[in-house]
Amino acid sequence: MIVKTEEQLLAEVNKTGKVLVYGSGNIARTMIRYFQKKEVAIEGIAVKKDVGESMFGFETKHLENFTDLCESVTVVICTISDAYDNNFSLVKNRGFQNIIIVDYELYVDLSVAENVHMDFLCAGFSKSGTTSLQTAFKKHPAIFLPKNKESYYLNWRKNFDDAPERFRKRYFDNIPEGKVVGNIEPSYHTRAKGAYECFGRDLKIILMMRNPIDATYSNFKMLMKNPKEKKQAMYFKKHNAFNVDMFDNYMEDYIFNNKDKRYQYSKYVEQFVEVFGRDQVKLVFFEELIQDPETVLNDLQDYIGVPRKTYKKMPKSNAGKFVSKNYISARINCKL
């Protein structure tokens, strides 16, 4: 049985008064938090493959470890829609009597309710002026943005049991009434569905793009300042000091082999349009923003629904003029 409303969910769960959550990841975590809030007894967390994961004080276990509860609990299947039928069959074949599947859209509604309310999200792309936009919008009296631009929330929400509350307290505490709330974070650019699950279908999306050649070189310079992998620090050892030929190495290691796909704009733009609809996705081009900041920023302010503040020029931020001095400093920066 697929439950599509909160009322239906609670009615089915109350038939036994106890639940066995079947699944892992964000859907399971959201449902567990929901059941805890509603004071529904949780008997355990069952998974298809037992990898020894711990969630909310429970050790996840294979479904067969709970067969003694076949008639006394409601099994709540937490999975994506493509896996509904397969997971239902697995649970039913183990002898469980009371089985429900949480509809994906119901999960989204419950997830949005527990996450911070957000009006707009600038989801990327990196090295395309997002830091400058953060600086400009932080000066707008009607806009609330977190002090820090990047939280990587979609990375760590699956690892912390209290992720929504932790995110709210760290980045969105004490929002003044009447402010338009936003977040500027390029790490969302590959995760349209994740943004939808956290902040809902009414979220307005901004995608900032730049000539991909210029953006790639700018990203390369940033990595040469703070290498994220030992391989990048090794470029300094190969060339003794920063050299333009290091860019050739970077292109071979990350771009030509398709390892770094961040500037494949059309792919990710299409994903956001598919999830949110064309009217809720705003495309901004870095070159136009630099050439005519007043027009572009006025357009953005109208889009997110705030009174226009005059911007005669675009603030320069995160220019990235410096690189590591040598191999030793590059390795230190990599460790840091």
Side-chain angles (χ1 to χ4, degrees), residues 27-75:
I27 298 180
R29 288 184 182 277
T30 295
M31 296 311 303
I32 293 169
R33 284 190 292 267
Y34 175 78
F35 289 136
Q36 289 180 334
K37 182 179 179 181
K38 295 295 182 179
E39 299 183 342
V40 175
I42 301 172
E43 292 297 297
I45 304 173
V47 291
K48 186 182 298 185
K49 294 182 179 179
D50 191 356
V51 293
E53 183 182 10
S54 178
M55 296 168 60
F56 299 87
F58 295 94
E59 290 294 327
T60 61
K61 299 178 181 179
H62 193 277
L63 190 62
E64 62 187 17
N65 290 284
F66 297 98
T67 52
D68 59 319
L69 303 174
C70 281
E71 298 181 2
S72 62
V73 300
T74 300
V75 179

Side-chain angles (χ1 to χ4, degrees), residues 5-6 9 23 31 41 56 68 73 93 96 109 114 117-118 168 194 197 201 234-235 251 262 271 278 294 310 325:
T5 67
E6 188 175 352
L9 171 65
M31 296 311 303
F56 299 87
D68 59 319
V73 300
N93 290 339
F96 289 91
D109 289 342
E114 69 172 357
H117 168 76
M118 199 176 295
R168 180 181 289 105
E197 291 173 356
R201 57 185 59 86
M234 291 298 291
Y235 296 161
M251 293 294 288
R262 75 183 67 201
Q271 291 175 0
R278 182 64 188 89
E294 186 173 7
T310 300
K325 184 177 181 180

